[in-house]
């Protein structure tokens, strides 16, 4: 290694040291200069003074200005550059010095709110680049003004209640109405109300970019855009999601997103929130009526009018609640049971108040709403005033009634109709009422979609089996002993009619449908004479005494309510049913009833809600608007199942029921 | 009293006026240039600020190519870090609620705050770099023999302290970068759990958890960790480092000054009156050191002015960075950890550090002291070891990337096997084998230790490069960040 004399080194090192010192001093001088007079905000402030003219130059004191709200750890320095924000005289000068738009600042004083509470971002940083291009904070600056309504919603917004609130903007109003009518609560819980299939959205507005997958987003990678594209194709942005796509217009979508982005946890001091918002936070929310509950909760899966989702198109589908067969065969009890309990392992959640956040009266209301889709039956008087035609009635009978009541009214699943005992005991009113209201716990649907003419025709056809009309009978059952009647019922009647009168070999009789239609005369005559061609025997007893006990007992049980839904009569053979099921039903309903192209049948909640009669009626009559055929009717695509075969299938389906669920 | 012709008060007056003259003369003495050797010697030995420096140094200390001023650069960077750190301490608040805001305020509001923070960050990175290069210089010039083995070990400890200082300081901004880098580092520290799990003894003895609790004060990085790291960073580690630096410098003087070749003639004539060939430090040697000081200072200040230290969003424990990378000097270890937590986090680093520390114990060859690479054979060994290490690292990184490793081929493989047989352990084993081969063939411990050091250094360097540029989300291999999948 070459070495030089000492003085050479001295010169080198002195020069190097001098160079380094000059560099250091130069940089220090530069920094001193920049940090004292050449900061970005200082240049803005000078520009402001120039714009405002000489008058304000005297009174303007340059320096960093900030709005501090200590208890919220807010230090917003935006006003260092946004100098005219509170000055009403600055409306004419350009950004960033111009006055704040609108009258928002009058109710939202800067010293209580600051800037970032509404406009988000990092208020501490003084550099324009840093503030406007925030990575990781929401909303992204390009759209932050477009969605500033989200901040209004954060404090003023309620999800349930009237739209004309303080702090409401057109976007938030539109967004609120959309949330309330698109069935969002069916899968998402928001502020304690809703289902659990999708994520809880109550704090959606607090999420930052890291919580979203932007991999498959086609447009800008911002949170609002993610939400837009998610509505249009949820499965693309959230793989494995069963959410249906929504087709909203551009403005509707942005309004909805505005409200969604305003969903925050209530982390601000209480004085910032509106009264309605505070009430809703504390659980005192506006109660929804049945139509609103259905629109907000159910319509996402079951459709706006209850038309359901086809199991062939979407997996899973949703049943068609507006189908006339469903409405006529499903009792209110069944609907209430399923709404409250849900369908277990299927996507239908349990809507009990403790799980869903809905109130008891809201659940009742939505059940009533679903029930209201059943057409109103014509009144008995209306029918009695209509002139019927027996031939037309016969055609109707062959199409609709023969599947259960037999071709000649000889019975099968339903009782024998051509029995003289029945026809002589039954008044027209009895027959009409039975047809229009159906019979609970049996397969007899409520044919309320028949009009008065059709029922009148049927009535005449039925009466055609009666050679001569019977005289009117107005016997009353007087003075019966309910306790004695109860004992007699339990020892004699229950073997056929079931211990709760829910039916077995004999029809279900201890329910309001039957007891309201049947007069005392009808009951007494049937009890005493029996029913020809059927196992019902007449009681060979002193007429008057014991039969009136039984009638008194039956009348006393009119309003009895069990805490479970009894399945009712099941006369089929499961083994035969299994063979039939695997041949005819398993293709759609699955080999084990798990549901493939059709609803699941092995579902515990469903089996506890559905009576055997419901199952029989559904099998017999099918479900219009869905691929479920009417197995009791002639059709080119399948053979007719006999009454016995249908009962066998029902008996087989019952095997999947493992226990009894109490009504919730 | 009456024999004197001045009163006590006039004496005071006279002493006072003479004091000013004396002070002026003393100052003038410095400026005028010292003439006699005695004056020049006293300038160093009798001034408090310079007394630590030797009054006489060997002329080779002036030749830049021997030491490259790296040790001095490290010392000056430490001083810059101390000064800038104290300035930052005026505003920084070590609480998880306020740390990030205090750093934002330093950047945004405090005059010169952005600048000071940048200086501190770049000086920290620079110090890690310069101590590493300094260690390499000392090693390659063989300057750990001839009684300098203690100083070498002190140096290794100082190296570790530098890394720890950087690591503890990394957490303080409490942003996403800091939080996740330190989370990774703490997981690496607690990786003994992988071994105890593989042996099934974790319920009985869990040193991994013990180390994690010691380091973080909790099982995750939080307020306790922040306070601990702050304490370590501003008090404990600087104190220990300061004491050891003092010891390190003192030992240099006791060991005969800066290292230089023993038998090479220098053209700089020593002092003819002194037989030891030394020259006075004042002024040339001190000018050399001043040059290093101002160059380092200038570069650091310029870097601080031009480049901003990164600051991501505030730490959010619910959203991990992906990939979560520790600071660059730990990325080599993180890469090893990606093969096996215990072997990469504890086993191999311990082996490497112990290996470093025992070099002067195992190699006591004193010829070619102070000569770069100990001569031509050493140069050859260095080059070959570097090529070997590069090849081994490339192979051992490429195989898992292309073909997977044990758990992919044999799903039921026992974890202990993965701890013992993974690319990291294979690389180190091959390094040891290679060094052993050099030892056997050349018979020289010096050449073997050159092979080990060079191979290990190149290995860590390449692993750092892989971890820095070629690892993306989920620690998958990507040729460039533009190919990373969008999260």
């Amino acid at each position: 290694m070459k070495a030089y004399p000492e003085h050479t080194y001295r010169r080198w090192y002195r020069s190097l040291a001098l160079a380094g010192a000059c560099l250091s001093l130069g940089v220090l001088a530069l920094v001193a200069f920049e940090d004292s007079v050449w900061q970005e905000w200082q240049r803005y402030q000078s520009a402001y003074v120039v714009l405002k003219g000489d008058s304000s130059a005297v009174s303007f004191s340059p320096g960093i200005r900030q709005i501090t709200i200590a208890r919220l750890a807010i230090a917003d320095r935006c006003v260092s550059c946004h100098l005219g924000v509170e000055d009403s005289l600055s409306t004419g000068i350009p950004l960033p010095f111009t006055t704040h738009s609108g009258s928002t600042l009058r109710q939202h004083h800067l010293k209580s709110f600051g800037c970032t509470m509404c406009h988000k971002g990092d208020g501490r940083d003084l550099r324009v680049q840093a503030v406007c291009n925030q990575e990781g904070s929401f909303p992204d600056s390009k759209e932050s003004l477009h969605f500033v309504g989200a901040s209004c919603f954060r404090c003023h917004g309620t999800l349930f209640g009237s739209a004309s609130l303080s702090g409401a903007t057109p976007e938030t109003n539109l967004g609120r109405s959309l949330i309330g009518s698109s069935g969002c609560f069916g899968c998402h819980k928001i502020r304690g109300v809703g289902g659990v299939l999708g994520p809880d959205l109550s704090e959606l507005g607090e999420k930052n970019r890291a919580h979203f997958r932007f991999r498959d987003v086609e447009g800008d990678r911002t949170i609002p855009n993610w939400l837009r594209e998610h509505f249009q194709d949820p499965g693309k942005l959230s793989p494995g999601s069963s959410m249906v796509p929504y087709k909203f217009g551009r403005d509707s979508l942005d309004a909805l997103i505005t409200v969604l982005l305003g969903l925050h946890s209530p982390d601000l001091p209480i004085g910032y929130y509106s009264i309605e918002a505070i009430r809703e936070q504390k659980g005192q929310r506006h109660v929804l009526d049945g139509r609103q509950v259905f629109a907000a909760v159910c319509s996402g899966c079951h459709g706006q009018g209850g038309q359901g989702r086809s199991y062939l198109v979407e997996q899973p589908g949703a049943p068609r609640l507006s189908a006339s067969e469903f409405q006529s065969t499903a009792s209110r009890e069944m609907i209430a049971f399923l709404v409250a309990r849900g369908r277990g392992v299927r996507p239908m959640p349990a809507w009990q108040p403790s799980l869903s956040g809905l109130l008891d009266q809201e659940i009742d209301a939505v059940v009533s709403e679903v029930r209201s889709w059943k057409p109103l039956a014509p009144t008995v008087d209306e029918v009695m005033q209509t002139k019927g035609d027996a031939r037309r009635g016969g055609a109707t009978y062959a199409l609709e009634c023969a599947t259960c009541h037999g071709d000649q009214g000889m019975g099968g699943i339903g009782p024998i109709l051509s029995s003289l005992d029945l026809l002589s005991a039954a008044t027209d009113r009895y027959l009409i009422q039975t047809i229009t209201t159906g019979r609970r716990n049996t397969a007899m649907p409520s044919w309320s979609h028949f009009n008065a003419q059709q029922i009148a025709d049927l009535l005449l056809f039925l009466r055609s089996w009666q050679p001569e009309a019977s005289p009117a009978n107005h016997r009353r059952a007087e003075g019966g002993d309910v306790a004695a009647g109860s004992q007699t019922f339990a020892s004699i009647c229950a073997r056929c009619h079931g211990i709760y009168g829910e039916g077995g070999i004999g029809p279900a009789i201890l329910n309001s449908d039957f007891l309201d239609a049947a007069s005392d005369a009808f009951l007494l005559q049937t009890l005493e004479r029996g029913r020809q061609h059927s196992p019902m025997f007449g009681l060979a007893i002193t007429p008057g005494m014991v039969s009136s006990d039984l009638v008194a007992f039956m009348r006393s049980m009119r309003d009895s309510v069990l805490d479970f839904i009894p399945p009712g009569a099941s006369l089929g053979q499961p083994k035969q049913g299994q063979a039939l099921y695997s041949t005819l039903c398993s293709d759609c309903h699955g080999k084990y009833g798990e549901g493939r192209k059709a609803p699941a049948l092995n579902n515990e909640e469903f089996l506890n809600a559905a009576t055997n009669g419901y199952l029989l009626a559904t099998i017999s009559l099918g479900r219009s608007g869905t691929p479920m055929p009417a197995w009791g009717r002639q059709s080119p695509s399948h053979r007719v199942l006999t009454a016995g075969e249908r009962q066998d299938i029902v008996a087989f389906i019952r095997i999947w029921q493992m226990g009894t669920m109490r009504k919730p | 009293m009456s024999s004197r012709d001045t009163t006590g008060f006039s004496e005071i007056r006279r002493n006072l006026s003479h004091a000013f003259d004396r002070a002026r003369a003393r100052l003038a003495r410095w400026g005028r240039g010292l003439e006699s050797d005695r004056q020049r010697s006293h300038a160093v030995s009798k001034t408090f600020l310079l007394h630590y420096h030797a009054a006489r140094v060997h002329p080779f200390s002036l030749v830049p190519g021997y030491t490259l001023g790296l040790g001095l650069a490290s010392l000056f960077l430490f001083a810059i870090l101390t000064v800038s750190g104290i300035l930052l301490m005026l505003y920084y608040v070590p609480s998880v609620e306020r740390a990030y805001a205090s750093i934002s305020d330093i950047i945004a509001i405090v005059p010169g705050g952005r600048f000071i923070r940048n200086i501190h960050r770049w000086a920290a990175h620079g110090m890690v770099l310069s101590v590493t290069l300094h260690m390499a210089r000392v090693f390659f010039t063989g300057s750990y023999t001839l009684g300098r083995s203690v100083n070498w070990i002190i140096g290794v400890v100082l190296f570790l302290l530098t890394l720890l200082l950087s690591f503890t300081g990394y957490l303080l901004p409490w942003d996403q970068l800091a939080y996740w880098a330190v989370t990774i580092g703490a997981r690496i520290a607690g990786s003994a759990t992988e071994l105890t799990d593989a042996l099934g003894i974790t319920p009985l003895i869990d040193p991994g958890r013990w180390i994690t609790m010691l380091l973080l004060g909790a099982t995750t990085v939080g307020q306790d960790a922040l306070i601990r790291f702050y304490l370590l960073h501003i008090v404990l580690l600087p104190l220990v480092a300061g004491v050891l630096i003092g010891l390190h410098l003192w030992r240099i003087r006791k060991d005969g000054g800066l290292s230089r070749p023993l038998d090479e003639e220098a053209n700089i004539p020593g002092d003819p009156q002194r037989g030891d060939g030394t020259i006075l430090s004042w002024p040339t040697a001190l000018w050399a050191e001043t040059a290093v000081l101002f160059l380092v200072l200038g570069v650091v200040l310029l870097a601080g002015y031009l480049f901003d230290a990164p600051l991501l969003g505030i730490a959010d424990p619910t959203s991990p960075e992906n990939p979560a990378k520790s600071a660059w000097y730990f990325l080599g270890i993180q890469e090893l950890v990606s093969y096996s937590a215990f072997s990469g986090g504890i086993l191999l680093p311990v082996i490497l550090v112990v290996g470093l520390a025992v070099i002067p114990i195992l190699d006591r060859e004193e010829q070619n002291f102070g000569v770069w690479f100990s001569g031509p054979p050493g140069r050859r060994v260095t080059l070959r070891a570097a090529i070997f290490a590069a090849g081994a690292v490339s192979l051992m990184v490429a195989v898992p990337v292309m073909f997977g490793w044990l758990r992919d081929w044999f799903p039921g493989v026992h974890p202990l096997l993965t701890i013992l047989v993974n690319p990291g352990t294979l690389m180190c084993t091959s390094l040891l084998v290679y060094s052993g081969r050099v030892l056997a063939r050349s018979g020289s411990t010096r050449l073997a230790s050159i092979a080990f050091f060079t191979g290990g250094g190149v290995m860590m360097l390449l692993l750092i490069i892989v971890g820095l540029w070629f690892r993306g989300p989920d620690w998958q291999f990507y040729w460039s960040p533009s190919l990373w999948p969008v999260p």
Side-chain angles (χ1 to χ4, degrees):
Chain A
M1 199 165 300
K2 188 166 167 34
Y4 296 91
E6 191 182 329
H7 59 92
T8 314
Y9 284 120
R10 196 185 320 150
R11 261 188 292 124
W12 284 359
Y13 290 133
R14 214 163 42 193
S15 326
L16 276 176
L18 207 57
C22 286
L23 178 62
S24 311
L25 280 174
V27 172
L28 283 174
L30 200 57
V31 170
F33 168 71
E34 274 192 8
D35 276 12
S36 49
V37 297
W38 203 244
Q39 298 272 49
E40 197 178 25
W41 58 268
Q42 286 167 316
R43 281 178 269 146
Y44 275 107
Q45 290 194 342
S46 328
Y48 176 73
V49 169
V50 165
L51 266 177
K52 288 291 279 184
D54 296 319
S55 56
S56 59
V58 181
S59 57
F60 183 81
S61 50
I64 295 176
R65 293 155 185 229
Q66 65 179 17
I67 301 167
T68 37
I69 304 173
R71 63 182 170 157
L72 299 172
I74 286 180
D76 285 341
R77 298 178 182 134
C78 323
V79 285
S80 307
C81 296
H82 289 275
L83 291 155
V85 113
E86 274 185 306
D87 176 18
S88 51
L89 297 172
S90 294
T91 46
I93 54 181
L95 276 171
F97 310 117
T98 189
T99 323
H100 194 278
S101 59
S103 60
T104 327
L105 286 194
R106 256 185 261 143
Q107 290 102 9
H108 301 77
H109 298 298
L110 276 185
K111 68 176 187 316
S112 313
F113 286 81
C115 315
T116 54
M117 197 182 287
C118 299
H119 288 285
K120 310 273 183 173
D122 180 11
R124 282 173 191 269
D125 209 319
L126 281 169
R127 297 168 293 176
V128 175
Q129 273 307 101
V131 172
C132 287
N133 292 323
Q134 286 284 311
E135 271 290 345
S137 78
F138 161 79
D140 298 290
S141 66
K142 277 188 283 184
E143 304 197 277
S144 65
L145 279 183
H146 188 55
F147 290 106
V148 75
S151 303
C152 306
F153 189 81
R154 178 183 179 187
C155 295
H156 290 281
T158 57
L159 289 169
F160 315 99
S162 65
S164 57
L165 296 174
S166 69
T169 70
E171 287 86 27
T172 58
N173 283 337
L174 178 56
R176 283 173 79 250
S177 75
L178 283 171
I179 278 191
S181 61
S182 312
C184 311
F185 293 87
C187 296
H188 293 282
K189 242 196 191 25
I190 313 179
R191 294 192 178 166
V193 177
V196 295
L197 211 56
D200 190 317
L201 300 179
S202 313
E203 291 173 12
L204 185 59
E206 288 179 19
K207 293 195 192 295
N208 60 33
R209 294 173 51 86
H211 292 106
F212 293 87
R213 256 175 69 105
F214 285 99
R215 187 176 307 207
D216 301 299
V217 170
E218 281 168 13
D220 295 333
R221 295 219 159 103
T222 63
I223 293 178
N225 212 43
W226 189 95
L227 290 170
R228 282 190 193 110
E229 294 194 14
H230 187 261
F231 275 114
Q232 279 149 13
D233 189 351
K236 190 166 81 143
L237 296 191
S238 302
S241 160
S242 45
M243 172 161 164
V244 282
Y246 281 87
K247 300 273 176 289
F248 291 119
R250 174 93 183 173
D251 290 331
S252 304
L253 198 52
D254 283 355
L256 186 53
I257 291 173
T258 303
V259 168
L260 288 175
L261 294 173
L263 291 171
H264 267 251
S265 60
D267 49 2
L268 293 173
I270 202 163
Y272 284 93
Y273 293 95
S274 70
I275 298 285
E276 298 91 358
I278 293 173
R279 284 213 188 99
E280 194 170 277
Q281 281 166 24
K282 297 208 179 289
Q284 281 176 40
R285 60 176 176 80
H286 180 82
V287 178
L288 302 169
D289 66 31
R291 202 191 44 79
Q292 287 170 326
V293 174
F294 191 85
V297 178
C298 320
S299 64
C301 292
H302 285 286
Q304 292 285 350
Q307 71 270 22
R309 249 176 24 200
S310 165
Y311 284 75
L312 298 175
V313 172
E314 321 254 1
Q315 273 298 331
R320 196 181 164 83
L321 299 175
S322 57
S324 58
E325 291 86 355
F326 173 75
Q327 289 293 340
S328 45
T329 53
S331 63
R332 191 199 161 89
E333 230 178 3
M334 174 179 175
I335 298 175
F337 189 98
L338 284 171
V339 166
R341 280 226 176 259
R343 282 247 183 133
V345 295
R346 306 289 295 167
M348 168 78 176
W351 295 103
Q352 300 172 40
S354 57
L355 299 173
S356 66
L358 290 172
L359 305 167
D360 276 317
Q361 63 255 50
E362 288 172 336
I363 294 183
D364 281 337
V366 76
V367 171
S368 303
E369 168 71 12
V370 172
R371 179 65 325 155
S372 74
W373 294 334
K374 184 151 114 62
L376 271 178
T379 61
V380 174
D381 297 317
E382 224 180 297
V383 174
M384 302 245 272
Q385 282 156 19
T386 316
K387 189 162 164 29
D389 175 47
R391 215 170 27 86
R392 266 204 315 253
T396 311
Y397 181 87
L399 189 62
E400 310 278 9
C401 322
T403 63
C404 295
H405 285 286
D407 291 322
Q408 297 303 316
M410 288 310 291
I413 292 172
I416 300 172
L417 295 179
S418 52
S419 154
L420 285 176
D421 292 320
L422 169 65
L423 290 171
S424 60
T427 58
D428 282 355
R429 177 173 292 273
Y430 173 84
L431 291 172
I432 294 168
Q433 207 158 333
T434 305
I435 294 174
T436 52
T437 48
R439 187 69 61 80
R440 187 181 316 163
N441 275 7
T442 69
M444 176 66 178
S446 141
W447 299 95
S448 58
H449 57 273
F450 281 168
N451 58 32
Q453 183 64 60
Q454 284 171 295
I455 301 179
D457 295 341
L458 263 178
L459 189 59
L460 217 57
F461 176 72
L462 289 174
R463 288 288 177 213
S464 71
W465 287 327
Q466 193 180 16
E468 56 178 46
S470 52
N473 189 344
H474 298 291
R475 263 177 82 190
R476 305 299 306 265
E478 305 285 336
D481 180 5
V482 173
S486 155
Q487 276 194 325
T488 315
F489 186 91
S491 58
I492 298 179
C493 319
R495 303 148 201 243
C496 292
H497 288 284
I499 47 170
Y500 302 111
E502 79 277 15
I505 299 170
I509 50 175
L510 288 185
N511 57 63
S512 57
D513 292 336
F514 172 71
L515 292 168
D516 286 349
S519 60
D520 280 1
F522 178 89
L523 293 174
L524 289 168
Q525 184 169 342
T526 310
L527 279 169
E528 286 158 9
R529 288 229 228 122
R531 188 69 64 79
Q532 196 184 32
H533 300 308
S534 83
M536 176 64 183
F537 49 89
L539 300 170
I541 36 178
T542 315
M545 226 29 206
V546 181
S547 53
S548 54
D549 286 347
L550 273 172
V551 172
F553 166 71
M554 286 168 69
R555 291 276 178 224
S556 75
M557 297 297 282
R558 184 223 177 244
D559 292 320
S560 70
V561 171
L562 296 168
D563 66 349
F564 69 103
I565 300 180
S570 174
L571 303 171
Q573 302 294 319
K575 235 168 146 243
Q576 275 87 302
Q578 180 174 28
L580 285 161
Y581 180 87
S582 54
T583 322
L584 301 168
C585 321
S586 58
D587 199 35
C588 290
H589 284 282
K591 191 165 155 218
Y592 302 104
E594 72 276 13
R596 280 175 56 215
K597 301 182 252 181
L601 298 175
N602 64 0
N603 184 265
E604 285 310 301
E605 285 78 4
F606 168 69
L607 290 171
N608 272 281
T611 58
N612 287 337
Y614 172 86
L615 297 172
L616 267 174
T618 306
I619 295 174
S620 306
L621 301 171
R623 195 58 68 79
S624 61
T626 72
M628 173 70 182
W631 294 96
R633 293 205 193 111
Q634 289 282 359
S635 160
S637 53
H638 61 83
R639 70 178 178 87
V640 173
L641 287 176
T642 67
E645 286 174 327
R646 285 176 259 149
Q647 280 171 328
D648 289 341
I649 294 178
V650 170
F652 171 66
I653 292 175
R654 257 316 143 198
I655 285 184
W656 287 324
Q657 182 176 0
M658 287 195 256
T660 310
M661 278 187 189
R662 303 285 157 200
K663 281 195 230 166
Chain B
M1 277 291 265
S2 55
S3 60
R4 307 180 96 148
D5 56 356
T6 53
T7 63
F9 286 108
S10 56
E11 197 171 321
I12 296 259
R13 236 191 357 258
R14 194 174 7 119
N15 288 341
L16 203 55
S17 62
H18 285 179
F20 284 119
D21 292 332
R22 275 203 300 275
R24 230 181 307 132
R26 186 171 275 187
L27 283 172
R29 192 172 64 218
W30 285 85
R32 199 167 45 240
L34 307 166
E35 281 110 18
S36 74
D37 280 357
R38 185 188 171 85
Q39 280 180 326
R40 290 163 74 188
S41 173
H42 280 187
V44 173
S45 60
K46 288 205 190 282
T47 318
F48 174 72
L49 286 176
L50 290 177
H51 82 280
Y52 219 66
H53 199 285
R56 304 190 71 89
V57 292
H58 197 278
F60 267 93
S61 312
L62 299 178
V63 181
Y66 279 117
T67 63
L68 301 169
L70 287 166
L72 277 176
S74 311
L75 177 65
F76 293 140
L77 284 168
F78 185 75
I80 292 171
L81 283 167
T82 309
V83 171
S84 57
I86 290 174
L87 289 173
L88 288 171
M89 276 168 64
L90 286 172
Y91 293 101
Y92 175 75
V93 178
S95 116
V96 299
E97 291 88 17
R98 295 177 59 185
Y100 186 80
S102 65
I103 296 274
S104 295
D105 285 348
I106 288 173
I107 297 172
I109 297 207
V110 173
R114 179 194 75 94
F115 181 62
I116 297 285
R117 178 180 178 244
N118 293 346
I119 290 172
H120 197 75
R121 171 76 68 142
W122 302 134
H125 285 316
M127 185 172 172
V128 172
L129 194 59
S130 86
V131 300
T132 313
L133 293 174
H134 172 65
M135 178 173 74
R137 192 283 296 168
V138 170
F139 175 83
F140 282 119
T141 55
S143 311
Y144 48 83
T145 50
L146 279 184
R148 296 181 187 238
S149 46
V150 173
N151 215 12
W152 170 266
I153 293 177
I154 295 173
V156 170
V157 176
L158 278 171
F159 173 65
L160 294 174
L161 281 175
T162 308
L163 292 179
L164 270 177
L165 272 167
S166 199
F167 180 62
T168 50
Y170 218 75
L171 178 65
L172 301 184
W174 202 253
D175 68 339
Q176 281 286 77
L177 188 66
Y179 184 88
W180 294 108
V182 170
T183 302
I184 299 277
R187 290 230 187 99
I188 291 175
S191 55
T193 314
E194 197 207 18
L195 179 69
T196 52
D197 280 342
L199 296 173
I201 57 176
T202 309
L204 292 169
I205 177 167
D206 194 357
R209 186 190 152 87
W210 191 82
I211 293 174
T212 308
M213 289 296 292
L214 183 66
L215 192 64
L216 301 179
T219 47
T220 54
V221 177
Q223 180 64 65
D224 301 300
L226 188 58
I227 288 282
R228 262 170 219 227
F229 276 42
Y230 191 58
L231 176 67
L232 283 168
H233 187 72
I234 67 172
V235 176
L236 290 178
L237 293 175
L239 265 179
V240 174
V243 166
L244 285 178
I245 288 174
L247 195 57
H248 196 67
L249 296 175
W250 181 77
R251 280 236 54 101
I252 293 174
R253 285 189 63 177
K254 292 304 158 196
D255 292 333
L258 293 181
S259 77
R260 59 203 170 273
L262 290 173
D263 52 2
E264 188 164 323
E265 290 285 331
N267 286 339
I268 308 170
D271 191 330
Q273 288 178 342
R274 299 280 295 255
D276 59 8
T278 59
I279 55 170
L280 283 165
S281 321
W282 185 283
T284 315
L286 293 174
W287 270 122
E289 289 158 20
T290 314
V292 173
L293 166 65
F294 280 121
L295 281 176
V296 164
L297 185 64
V299 167
V300 166
L301 290 182
L302 191 65
Y305 175 73
L306 292 175
F307 308 112
D308 279 339
L311 187 71
L312 301 182
I314 189 170
D316 181 2
T318 62
S319 54
E321 292 277 299
N322 190 7
K325 292 193 180 176
S326 48
W328 63 268
Y329 40 86
F330 281 151
L331 275 177
I333 297 188
Q334 192 175 350
E335 178 72 21
L336 290 175
V337 165
S338 73
Y339 303 127
S340 152
F342 174 72
S343 82
I346 293 186
L347 185 64
L348 294 175
V350 164
I351 288 177
L352 288 173
V353 168
V354 166
L356 266 181
V358 302
I359 285 176
I361 298 173
L362 297 178
D363 169 34
R364 302 197 67 80
E365 287 178 28
E366 292 172 2
Q367 69 271 31
N368 293 322
F369 175 89
V371 176
W372 273 94
F373 306 108
S374 304
R379 267 196 278 270
R380 276 197 296 275
V381 168
T382 310
L383 194 60
R384 288 198 194 133
I387 293 173
F388 170 79
V393 168
S394 310
L395 184 69
M396 288 283 98
V397 168
V399 164
V401 168
M402 296 202 293
F403 306 113
W405 198 250
L406 289 178
R407 203 164 284 135
D408 302 311
W409 307 326
F410 313 107
V413 70
H414 194 277
L416 201 56
L417 202 60
T418 331
I419 292 177
L420 293 174
V421 179
N422 61 62
T425 50
L426 289 178
M427 276 190 265
C428 281
T429 317
S430 70
L431 187 64
L432 285 167
V433 165
Y434 183 84
S435 313
R437 194 168 151 273
V438 168
L439 180 65
R441 291 180 69 173
S442 68
S444 157
T445 51
R446 170 66 179 155
L447 292 177
S449 59
I450 287 182
F452 179 77
F453 188 92
T454 312
V458 167
M459 187 175 94
M460 289 309 288
L461 177 67
L462 288 176
L463 288 174
I464 287 175
I465 287 175
V466 167
L468 198 56
W469 290 330
F470 298 115
R471 288 291 183 191
D474 303 327
W475 212 252
Q476 297 297 311
F477 188 89
Y478 294 95
W479 283 107
S480 122
S482 58
L483 299 170
W484 288 9
V486 180

